[in-house]
Amino acid sequence: MKRKSLPALLGLVVLSALAAGVLLLLQPSADKAEPVSADHVTIVGFSQLGSESGWRVGNSRDIVAAAERAGVELIFNNANQKQENQIDAIRSFIAYQVDVIALAPIVEEGWENVLAEAREAGIPVLLSDRYINIADESLFAGYIGSDFLEEGRAAGRFLLRKAQGCDSVRIVEIAGTEGSTPARQRAIGFREVLSGDDRFRIVHSVSGDFLRSRGKEHMLNILETVEDIDVLYSHNDAMTLGAIEAIEEAGLLPGRDIIIITIDGEQGAIDLLKQGKINCVVECTALLGDLIMDLAQRLTRGEEIPRISHPVEQVFSEFDTDVQNIPPRGY
Ligand code: GZL
């Protein structure tokens, strides 16, 4: 099957492993049905969900750099937080007959039809960063991303340790994008660890959509409407940084008057941890690119790959003796 010419794929940016950032017209390669030659250059169509946070920007930058390191031709599309744009991009990747589609799905629902179209076209799909809720999980080849339940549990375990000697802990939660795997599972994991200990009460929970602006808006409102807040549990650093602005504008001391627990590990959050304004940063690495490109090349060669690939992640907190020596995060 001949690939369509690039102009037919409006809105897609082709980053070549040979000249990243230069728009190239790729030559059609072997038909999908034939085994690839040893010198075949894998083409990956990557559907990125948006640019909502420093984490996402770092993730996108890492995907592009990893493609270049791996010698992969990358067609990269940023959906600007719209699922319909991701579905359109996947259809463009199918039309172009990429070797592998990689998808960072903004939400868990609504992917059955387009993934069935990819399977019909003989193109394997990798999930990057977030999971999907689908009856037929054979519609994707594998998942590369964090264990969000464990991230939530790690946040809860820090709070259990921090709250030793306390007889009542009132928690406000600013959650991520509704319907997304990280938001759903970070909430579940956190509650799982604290359940059964009636000292802990989540007195307010609201979605901030992983956006810094929403984190600030919600925290301003929470400070005016919720009494006796002991802890802020925020599902990502972007919202935390916004919330801390609100806390300081209210004349309160983040990390002292309100305990701050956040997830991601962006440089901005680590800097505030070192200053004592954040108490715990649960790492969620954005650097998934090398693993994605390796698995994409293995799929293209017809090799088996793991269904689930979790990166190794850590927790940074005030209890660490070497907080000041945390190396630069890169995003
Ligand atoms: C987690 C990722 C989340 C980050 C947020 O893997 O999907 O989305 O925690 C980002 O910063 O917006």
Side-chain angles (χ1 to χ4, degrees):
M1 178 186 290
K2 288 294 178 212
R3 286 192 168 100
K4 291 192 170 182
S5 70
L6 192 58
L9 302 172
L10 296 180
L12 293 181
V13 175
V14 175
L15 295 181
S16 156
L18 307 177
V22 174
L23 208 52
L24 294 176
L25 282 185
L26 298 169
Q27 295 306 316
S29 76
D31 186 291
K32 295 304 292 173
E34 297 159 9
V36 295
S37 60
D39 62 351
H40 174 78
V41 175
T42 298
I43 300 185
V44 171
F46 192 98
S47 170
Q48 180 60 289
L49 64 90
S51 310
E52 74 284 359
S53 62
W55 186 99
R56 185 70 52 198
V57 171
N59 177 248
S60 295
R61 198 181 300 134
D62 182 66
I63 295 290
V64 171
E68 189 159 353
R69 287 192 292 267
V72 165
E73 301 280 356
L74 181 67
I75 305 179
F76 184 91
N77 177 268
N78 183 325
N80 296 318
Q81 302 290 108
K82 290 184 171 43
Q83 181 176 29
E84 59 268 26
N85 291 349
Q86 291 199 276
I87 290 170
D88 289 346
I90 292 169
R91 288 185 170 133
S92 295
F93 298 152
I94 292 170
Y96 189 69
Q97 279 286 292
V98 298
D99 292 306
V100 176
I101 291 168
L103 166 66
I106 184 166
V107 292
E108 294 179 323
E109 306 292 339
W111 302 101
E112 290 81 358
N113 294 340
V114 75
L115 294 190
E117 293 167 31
R119 175 157 62 183
E120 183 64 27
I123 301 175
V125 176
L126 288 174
L127 298 183
S128 166
D129 162 36
R130 296 184 183 177
Y131 212 74
I132 61 176
N133 180 24
I134 196 168
D136 178 2
E137 292 210 337
S138 71
L139 283 172
F140 62 89
Y143 167 75
I144 299 101
S146 300
D147 181 343
F148 303 114
L149 278 174
E150 184 51 30
E151 291 174 350
R153 294 186 191 113
R157 287 194 294 267
F158 166 81
L159 186 52
L160 279 177
R161 181 175 177 186
K162 179 68 179 177
Q164 282 180 1
C166 300
D167 53 18
S168 164
V169 181
R170 293 166 54 85
I171 304 159
V172 296
E173 177 184 48
I174 302 181
T177 300
E178 287 186 62
S180 71
T181 315
R184 193 170 59 76
Q185 294 191 349
R186 286 169 181 169
I188 293 169
F190 183 68
R191 286 161 174 77
E192 182 186 288
V193 166
L194 301 177
S195 68
D197 186 330
D198 57 13
R199 295 177 300 158
F200 299 96
R201 282 188 61 209
I202 299 177
V203 296
H204 185 91
S205 180
V206 64
S207 169
D209 211 8
F210 288 130
L211 295 168
R212 179 171 183 152
S213 57
R214 296 278 172 78
K216 180 169 185 177
E217 281 166 33
H218 286 309
M219 199 66 212
L220 285 169
N221 176 54
I222 289 166
L223 289 166
E224 286 172 10
T225 56
V226 180
E227 293 177 349
D228 305 328
I229 302 166
D230 299 308
V231 178
L232 166 63
Y233 171 48
S234 168
H235 287 190
N236 86 324
D237 295 344
M239 298 188 296
T240 303
L241 297 179
I244 285 175
E245 282 180 44
I247 291 168
E248 292 185 319
E249 285 176 13
L252 298 173
L253 298 175
R256 301 268 298 279
D257 296 329
I258 296 177
I259 300 304
I260 311 285
I261 303 171
T262 187
I263 301 177
D264 271 352
E266 288 183 33
Q267 190 60 54
I270 296 298
D271 292 346
L272 292 178
L273 174 70
K274 293 180 178 181
Q275 296 167 31
K277 294 186 177 182
I278 288 178
N279 306 83
C280 176
V281 180
V282 176
E283 182 183 27
C284 173
T285 183
L287 307 180
L288 304 173
D290 288 332
L291 192 49
I292 290 166
M293 298 307 156
D294 174 49
L295 295 186
Q297 290 176 311
R298 288 165 58 182
L299 280 172
T300 304
R301 292 192 298 264
E303 296 171 16
E304 289 295 310
I305 68 164
R307 283 290 299 174
I308 301 288
S309 301
H310 289 317
V312 175
E313 296 174 334
Q314 54 189 319
V315 178
F316 306 106
S317 87
E318 61 184 58
F319 297 126
D320 301 338
T321 53
D322 56 355
V323 162
Q324 298 307 325
N325 302 325
I326 298 171
R329 303 288 298 155
Y331 54 92

